[in-house]
Amino acid sequence: MKEAKRQKRGVTPTKDRWASDVIVDLLHAYELPHAALNRAPPIAGCTTPSSTTGATCPR
Amino acid sequence: MMLCQHEETAVQIAHGYAKASGKPMVAILHNLVGLLHAKQGDLLRLHRSRARLHRRGNRPDGRNQAPPAHRLDPHRAGAGRGGCARYTKWDYQPHTIDGVPESFARAYGVMMTQPQGPVYMIYDRVLQEQKLAHAVAMPPPHAVKVPARIGPDPSALAKAADLIAAAERPVIITEYTGRDHEAFATLVELAETAGIPVYDINARLSFPSRHPLNVSMSKDAFREATASCAWTRATGRSPPPELVSTTREVKSVVPAGAKWVEIGFGDLELSSWALDYQRMNHADVRVMADTTLAIPMLTRLLRDRIAKDKRLQSRV
């Protein structure tokens, strides 16, 4: 059911793990549930990998 | 995760959360411009010490393509990191994913050890976007995350208790005692036990504003003081001086012969960059300790002395 919902939102689960996942694991391990994020100016056109949801890529 | 329109907002949200809850919060920022904006929030940190963990996605060459590791621009990356070093307790950039857990654990400990303050961790985009080829060991769950508090030197604290007990009109001046919610009640207990008025500078709310022993906003308590006990975050917090407008002369309201006891983190946070401390008080007793520990201990020492001394009992 969860998988179906995620796929409906366009999010394809992946078994691959990325280095940014280690940072997220640490945030959980140290009970840091909240993060305030600024994604940088649009001129840079950047994304922060751990802050966005990707399909097969952490971007 | 809260998306903020400005880095300053992100940092201040994390700061406010930490002040209110006593728990740290992460602010994620981009390199250079993001970091420079965040510093505005960090400047305030110097005055309102609390824990925050900054993370940064680093992409030093400013292009959309992730640069290979050998093309990292040390000048630009270094400018950002070097710039924040003066505002944070620690900063570090792990260059491999295996270095992340250990540095994260160290950062958490440094940040949460009193006196608390922000740390700055740099996670390069190149590092973050690598596919994990092997399992990365997390810090052991049984390991202590934060060291125990700094306790006072018992003999120095006994000297402080003797000096306060001998004083005719002691006054407490407090600045950051209330940063720790636990310490708020302990300071009330001390003031009531020894009958000492409290002047709260209100850097934090350290003493109830409607308590009969609260003398904040009035300098009169210091004019006849025979001992002042300063509990501070930084060194040498003294009562607000008095300005004589006609001569523009600034005078201390404390009598020259008054004794000084200072309990707190002393010079631990003294910075060569920011002058947020005052002129040095040449104290008679200086005790470096976490006030959350030291105040209840001092209360016990004073209670023993009061029980044996009728003069003290009458003062209280």
Side-chain angles (χ1 to χ4, degrees):
Chain A
M1 188 65 184
K2 266 188 181 175
E3 292 303 320
K5 274 188 181 175
R6 289 180 71 184
Q7 284 188 10
K8 200 177 172 185
R9 291 203 309 261
V11 182
T12 310
T14 172
K15 287 179 183 175
D16 290 330
R17 277 180 53 85
W18 307 87
S20 56
D21 291 333
V22 173
I23 299 167
V24 174
D25 290 346
L26 283 162
L27 293 176
H28 290 157
Y30 280 77
E31 296 174 0
L32 298 164
H34 308 298
L37 161 75
N38 180 273
R39 287 176 49 166
I43 50 164
C46 70
T47 53
T48 307
S50 58
S51 68
T52 52
T53 310
T56 56
C57 168
R59 289 181 68 192
Chain B
M1 190 169 286
M2 283 163 278
L3 184 62
C4 304
Q5 297 298 330
H6 197 279
E7 291 85 355
E8 236 178 90
T9 313
V11 169
Q12 294 292 15
I13 284 174
H15 188 194
Y17 177 84
K19 277 171 73 177
S21 69
K23 296 173 186 171
M25 183 171 163
V26 177
I28 303 175
L29 314 164
H30 193 258
N31 190 12
L32 284 177
V33 177
L35 177 64
L36 291 169
H37 284 161
K39 280 182 189 169
Q40 189 60 39
D42 269 336
L43 284 171
L44 294 170
R45 196 284 307 176
L46 283 171
H47 299 281
R48 305 168 195 166
S49 173
R50 259 307 177 192
R52 286 196 314 276
L53 180 73
H54 293 184
R55 281 183 53 204
R56 182 178 74 176
N58 188 19
R59 192 184 49 191
D61 75 347
R63 297 187 306 172
N64 287 337
Q65 291 78 28
H70 69 272
R71 286 185 55 202
L72 295 183
D73 180 345
H75 176 69
R76 291 191 70 185
R81 184 178 170 188
C84 79
R86 288 169 169 175
Y87 312 89
T88 52
K89 284 182 82 178
W90 190 53
D91 67 277
Y92 185 71
Q93 178 172 9
H95 292 282
T96 65
I97 193 62
D98 294 292
V100 169
E102 185 183 312
S103 55
F104 191 100
R106 191 186 297 275
Y108 189 90
V110 168
M111 171 178 68
M112 295 302 288
T113 303
Q114 295 280 0
Q116 294 175 338
V119 292
Y120 186 61
M121 302 305 292
I122 304 154
Y123 299 127
D124 196 279
R125 176 179 154 181
V126 178
L127 174 77
Q128 293 192 56
E129 292 191 350
Q130 284 173 358
K131 195 180 274 190
L132 271 185
H134 62 279
V136 176
M138 291 282 113
H142 58 80
V144 174
K145 291 185 172 71
V146 184
R149 295 171 185 273
I150 304 170
D153 178 339
S155 62
L157 202 65
K159 271 187 199 171
D162 289 339
L163 209 149
I164 294 166
E168 287 293 326
R169 287 175 295 278
V171 182
I172 294 170
I173 178 167
T174 177
E175 185 180 15
Y176 274 91
T177 311
R179 76 195 181 284
D180 192 330
H181 299 175
E182 270 181 57
F184 186 82
T186 62
L187 185 56
V188 173
E189 191 185 356
L190 171 63
E192 289 177 352
T193 302
I196 305 175
V198 178
Y199 189 103
D200 187 357
I201 290 177
N202 283 323
R204 288 282 192 279
L205 180 65
S206 299
F207 199 74
S209 56
R210 298 179 71 180
H211 194 285
L213 284 169
N214 189 323
V215 294
S216 306
M217 311 299 290
S218 167
K219 298 172 191 172
D220 291 341
F222 295 105
R223 293 185 206 283
E224 295 180 342
T226 49
S228 293
C229 327
W231 282 300
T232 63
R233 170 187 66 98
T235 184
R237 176 58 78 178
S238 56
E242 202 162 45
L243 172 67
V244 183
S245 298
T246 49
T247 60
R248 303 201 58 76
E249 193 180 356
V250 178
K251 284 183 174 175
S252 170
V253 292
V254 181
K259 303 285 184 189
W260 276 96
V261 176
E262 184 185 302
I263 302 176
F265 294 119
D267 296 337
L268 277 184
E269 281 197 302
L270 203 61
S271 162
S272 59
W273 174 82
L275 206 147
D276 70 334
Y277 45 91
Q278 297 192 346
R279 292 185 65 178
M280 186 166 182
N281 280 321
H282 297 287
D284 299 89
V285 179
R286 296 179 74 190
V287 185
M288 187 172 286
D290 189 328
T291 44
T292 306
L293 283 184
I295 290 175
M297 292 170 74
L298 185 61
T299 305
R300 282 195 291 275
L301 292 173
L302 281 169
R303 192 173 283 134
D304 294 344
R305 284 158 176 74
I306 291 165
K308 295 172 190 166
D309 189 331
K310 285 188 179 172
R311 182 191 64 85
L312 272 174
Q313 288 167 19
S314 65
R315 190 189 78 189
V316 175

